[in-house]
Amino acid sequence: MSTNTDTVADRFAAAGAQIDPLTALTALALAAALGFTLLFLQEPLAHDALHDFRHGAGIICH
Amino acid sequence: MIDRLRSGVAAGALAGLAYGLFTWVVVSPLIHHLEHLASHGGDHAHDAAPAVSETATAVVSAGGGVLWGVLLGAAFGVAYHLFEPALPGGTLKPYVLAGAGFLTVSVAPWTVLPPATPGMEPLYGSSLRVPLYLGLVGIGGLVAATSVLGYARASRTRGRGTGAFVALLPLVALGILSIAAPPTLTGGAAPAGVSAAFRWLVGFSQAGLWALIAVAFSRFDRRVGRPDANSPTPTARGID
């Protein structure tokens, strides 16, 4: 589409150069913290409340 | 990168809204209906103690559908930015990636752990099913990658027909896995026809979700424009 000159490796390198490690770490930590909170909620209210969604999306659990 | 992520999240939110609405209007009522049918047959785990009312379940599940779309959209945007150079298909690239995503996240796990129709019970505990599911997502990613790369390489050297044939091989292997896999669900007070229909519904709704993400993403990506997508000054608009 856009520029067909660069490769996947270039994209990874560019991403590594553009995003500074601290920002990436912050984003990861935030996502991990949110996920952790959700896992706590999962027991059992949120889990039960998402029952229809899990069926509908065909995700693991029953 | 950030632009692509933003397009992906926006596309995912849009597709997720549609999917959440679908969950609300179609999936939830259908599941409750099927579960009532199944519970007439006798023992069903959910009869024991539903911790939440059906309305709350429907609302939260619809919201979960929206968030699911956002999550897939965000992953789609980042993956698109990173892997775009390797994707075949010109303007159809977003659709190729969406197909790969659908294969990875949904189809591959379903080969061993098919969607459970209400009324069916899993044979194994979640301590086995969760790692299995995640492992199958990994396998799905491998299958999608070999298929796409195989197509790109073979069609470059030997023409499109060969490319399509090469692309099919990993998919056939996945199909064989689904036939060879032992059953993981039991019971099913629901008749086989209902169960099959429910699975098609699940499959099509997930495929539709991915397709919507791809459509919306290609719109947003076009609008963002790409003159500076790879320019040495990525902060041209002062964001990033």
Side-chain angles (χ1 to χ4, degrees):
Chain A
M1 264 212 282
S2 53
T3 46
N4 289 319
T5 44
D6 58 350
T7 63
V8 173
D10 290 343
R11 289 287 169 92
F12 273 93
Q18 281 174 22
I19 301 166
D20 88 284
L22 201 63
T23 313
L25 211 66
T26 312
L28 267 184
L30 183 64
L34 284 175
F36 185 67
T37 316
L38 282 177
L39 277 181
F40 262 118
L41 274 178
Q42 192 89 320
E43 233 14 85
L45 275 182
H47 182 85
D48 273 17
L50 280 168
H51 168 254
D52 289 358
F53 166 70
R54 262 175 288 117
H55 263 303
I59 298 175
I60 329 171
C61 185
H62 170 68
Chain B
M1 174 82 153
I2 301 295
D3 283 337
R4 250 69 185 262
L5 178 61
R6 196 174 301 145
S7 297
V9 170
L14 208 65
L17 275 178
Y19 181 68
L21 196 68
F22 179 75
T23 306
W24 169 264
V25 175
V26 178
V27 177
S28 279
L30 178 69
I31 286 171
H32 290 149
H33 180 65
L34 287 178
E35 278 182 346
H36 282 303
L37 282 185
S39 67
H40 283 301
D43 47 65
H44 187 249
H46 287 286
D47 298 338
V52 206
S53 76
E54 284 195 357
T55 324
T57 306
V59 171
V60 177
S61 288
V66 178
L67 291 180
W68 179 235
V70 172
L71 176 69
L72 293 184
F76 184 92
V78 172
Y80 187 80
H81 180 71
L82 291 177
F83 297 116
E84 193 232 297
L87 290 173
T91 52
L92 296 178
K93 280 177 178 187
Y95 301 94
V96 175
L97 185 64
F102 176 55
L103 188 75
T104 303
V105 177
S106 289
V107 176
W110 287 343
T111 56
V112 180
L113 301 163
T117 312
M120 285 182 153
E121 299 294 341
L123 275 176
Y124 309 101
S126 53
S127 56
L128 175 69
R129 278 180 293 141
V130 172
L132 186 59
Y133 195 93
L134 295 178
L136 284 163
V137 169
I139 291 178
L142 274 180
V143 167
T146 44
S147 180
V148 170
L149 288 180
Y151 173 80
R153 186 155 301 178
S155 62
R156 205 180 305 137
T157 52
R158 308 243 180 91
R160 287 201 169 178
T162 325
F165 177 72
V166 171
L168 267 180
L169 291 179
L171 304 182
V172 170
L174 200 63
I176 291 173
L177 175 66
S178 80
I179 296 169
T184 52
L185 289 165
T186 181
V194 173
S195 176
F198 183 78
R199 283 186 183 162
W200 280 111
L201 176 77
V202 169
F204 271 114
S205 64
Q206 291 301 303
L209 176 64
W210 282 102
L212 268 182
I213 289 178
V215 171
F217 181 84
S218 55
R219 281 284 156 77
F220 291 141
D221 197 42
R222 206 168 299 147
R223 195 187 307 159
V224 165
R226 48 190 77 85
D228 62 341
N230 295 297
S231 74
T233 54
T235 45
R237 276 185 308 283
I239 333 166
D240 294 273

